[in-house]
Amino acid sequence: MASSRPDPAPPRVAGIGVATGLGYGQAALLDGMWNPRPLGGVLQRPGRQLEGRATPFLGVELAEPPALLPPRVARITSLGGRVAVAVLDEAWRDAGLDALAPERIGLVVGGSNLNPREQGLAREAYAGRMAYLLPSHGYTAFDTDLCGLCTSTFPIRGMSCTLGGASASGLLAVLQAADAVRSGRVDACIALGALQDLSSFELQALANLGALSPSSRCRPFDQAHDGFLFAEACAALVICRADLGLKHYGHILGSAWHSNGQRGPDPSPEGELRLIRSALASAGLDPAQIDYVNTHGTGTPKGDDTEAAALAQAGLGQAPINAGKSLIGHGLSAAGTVETAMTLLQMQAGRLHPCQHLENPVQPDLHWVRGAPLNHQPTHALKLSFGFGGMEGALVLGR
């Protein structure tokens, strides 16, 4: 019988589903990690370009997701919702969740303000005839519709919620899901890093902020870094009790979740160092025991410089370091979940992907993985995520 008692063993990751510009599924992601290829180009979705702008917005867009929903449901489901169902389906089957009671399965959706592009398109489509706006828009406009969609499509009858943490949302969803399992509220909890569907309005604001790269390449930690490359992405991780006998990608050994006291995009050197030290203390590990770091690594000068300095000051100079955004761009809300999946898959494979476009590192003394994949079997990995508004998260994973 399912137990509601806290489990003293660290929660484990038992299933992974993922979608990036490399394709849908783990196989596409693995191939792209070992054989990197350029993904960036002119954004093509309606609502992504500004008429009259001198240069088009660049980024990475997904292929159309598999048609898993009934047509009547798909018609009132956003792009992000259809993608979420696809990655959740992969994670569900990977973990074998049909073996668990639905009441013991939970869901945490990482992300907020997820559909501004589709909201803008709807306003344009119904301008002057608002009386004909679809009634379903009254609930599909909210981020919580992803909870309703996923729990009505899959037998998830435990707790469910959404969680907003800007670009840290995906990793914070993993932390919240792990807490739900650790506390005994559920036996398994799915952390879904949701696709963030930006419109030209948000893209222009980010460009004005100086956050967007004007090129189609993301260059984390290179001295020529000039901003991040927006990317559509989504991932689902199944976090479960260690005693369930499900598949095993790795243990969640420790974590940290802090605010650095900043309102906008500026990073905090003191905050990031405190976060790293708190996460290691939570896992009961010394810096020397961390043998792989998966960074936040956006390609923004101030963000990269601050993160690299924090890693060096924390005593992590010996650990191989890479940045997933150099391969797939910045998935915003989904980034932390996608990159946690990438971390676990690399640990399982005993191989680390190179940090693309890294020619002149901002901290040359750190152990950057670059040029080609590195054969390496990490025992303990550190994953970092940072979000606008001072939201910071760190995760320590054990093989």
Side-chain angles (χ1 to χ4, degrees):
M1 180 178 294
S3 172
S4 60
R5 293 175 299 173
D7 185 0
R12 68 170 53 172
V13 179
I16 295 174
V18 64
T20 70
L22 296 164
Y24 286 82
Q26 293 183 32
L29 180 58
L30 284 164
D31 180 68
M33 287 196 291
W34 315 144
N35 305 288
R37 61 183 188 271
L39 297 178
V42 175
L43 295 170
Q44 300 293 331
R45 293 201 194 281
R48 287 260 169 87
Q49 298 295 344
L50 279 176
E51 185 177 350
R53 193 174 194 268
T55 57
F57 291 117
L58 305 174
V60 181
E61 291 175 328
L62 295 174
E64 185 65 20
L68 300 179
L69 294 169
R72 62 179 180 80
V73 177
R75 279 195 295 270
I76 60 168
T77 300
S78 66
L79 169 67
R82 300 195 306 276
V83 172
V85 168
V87 303
L88 207 161
D89 180 69
E90 182 186 19
W92 187 281
R93 289 183 288 106
D94 190 35
L97 284 183
D98 283 335
L100 301 187
E103 295 79 9
R104 301 299 303 163
I105 302 173
L107 171 70
V108 179
V109 175
S112 57
N113 307 312
L114 295 172
N115 292 309
R117 183 185 66 90
E118 294 202 6
Q119 300 271 355
L121 291 175
R123 281 193 293 270
E124 290 178 9
Y126 288 94
R129 55 189 195 100
M130 283 296 185
Y132 298 97
L133 181 65
L134 291 176
S136 58
H137 195 78
Y139 58 87
T140 59
F142 295 101
D143 297 327
T144 47
D145 182 55
L146 269 182
C147 290
L149 175 68
C150 292
T151 57
S152 63
T153 304
F154 299 89
I156 301 169
R157 299 295 180 269
M159 45 75 65
S160 69
C161 66
T162 63
L163 185 157
S167 294
S169 297
L171 187 134
L172 299 184
V174 176
L175 302 191
Q176 188 68 25
D179 283 346
V181 170
R182 194 180 290 110
S183 69
R185 290 198 299 274
V186 288
D187 293 327
C189 193
I190 300 157
L192 176 73
L195 185 151
Q196 192 146 31
D197 195 355
L198 298 189
S199 74
S200 58
F201 187 82
E202 293 78 37
L203 290 168
Q204 183 63 57
L206 288 167
N208 292 348
L209 190 63
L212 280 188
S213 171
S215 77
S216 60
R217 297 194 299 175
C218 184
R219 305 175 65 98
F221 303 108
D222 190 86
Q223 292 181 25
H225 49 190
D226 56 4
F228 72 78
L229 182 68
F230 164 68
E232 295 177 344
C234 185
L237 302 181
V238 176
I239 318 297
C240 72
R241 293 171 59 96
D243 58 1
L244 292 183
L246 300 182
K247 200 168 182 176
H248 186 13
Y249 285 96
H251 287 296
I252 297 176
L253 300 179
S255 61
W257 182 348
H258 291 169
S259 172
N260 69 22
Q262 301 278 357
R263 180 185 181 186
D266 288 343
S268 164
E270 300 80 12
E272 292 186 17
L273 181 60
R274 181 170 69 98
L275 181 83
I276 293 169
R277 288 174 171 168
S278 294
L280 297 186
S282 171
L285 298 174
D286 296 322
Q289 293 174 279
I290 298 296
D291 47 12
Y292 169 47
V293 178
N294 187 289
T295 61
H296 184 60
T298 62
T300 55
K302 187 176 288 187
D304 286 355
D305 292 350
T306 301
E307 185 174 8
L311 292 172
Q313 194 171 351
L316 295 168
Q318 83 294 336
I321 302 169
N322 61 13
K325 295 178 184 67
S326 71
L327 302 182
I328 61 172
H330 191 349
L332 304 180
S333 283
T337 317
V338 173
E339 292 160 14
T340 300
M342 295 173 78
T343 301
L344 291 163
L345 291 172
Q346 289 175 94
M347 294 176 76
Q348 186 182 64
R351 199 178 191 201
L352 304 181
H353 72 71
C355 194
Q356 284 287 92
H357 319 303
L358 182 54
E359 298 169 3
N360 298 296
V362 296
Q363 286 266 356
D365 294 337
L366 293 176
H367 187 177
W368 305 105
V369 182
R370 54 188 179 131
L374 173 68
N375 291 326
H376 178 62
Q377 293 191 329
T379 301
H380 303 116
L382 175 68
K383 169 68 196 131
L384 300 173
S385 280
F386 310 122
F388 288 175
M391 283 164 274
E392 303 176 334
L395 188 64
V396 179
L397 300 166
R399 181 157 59 92

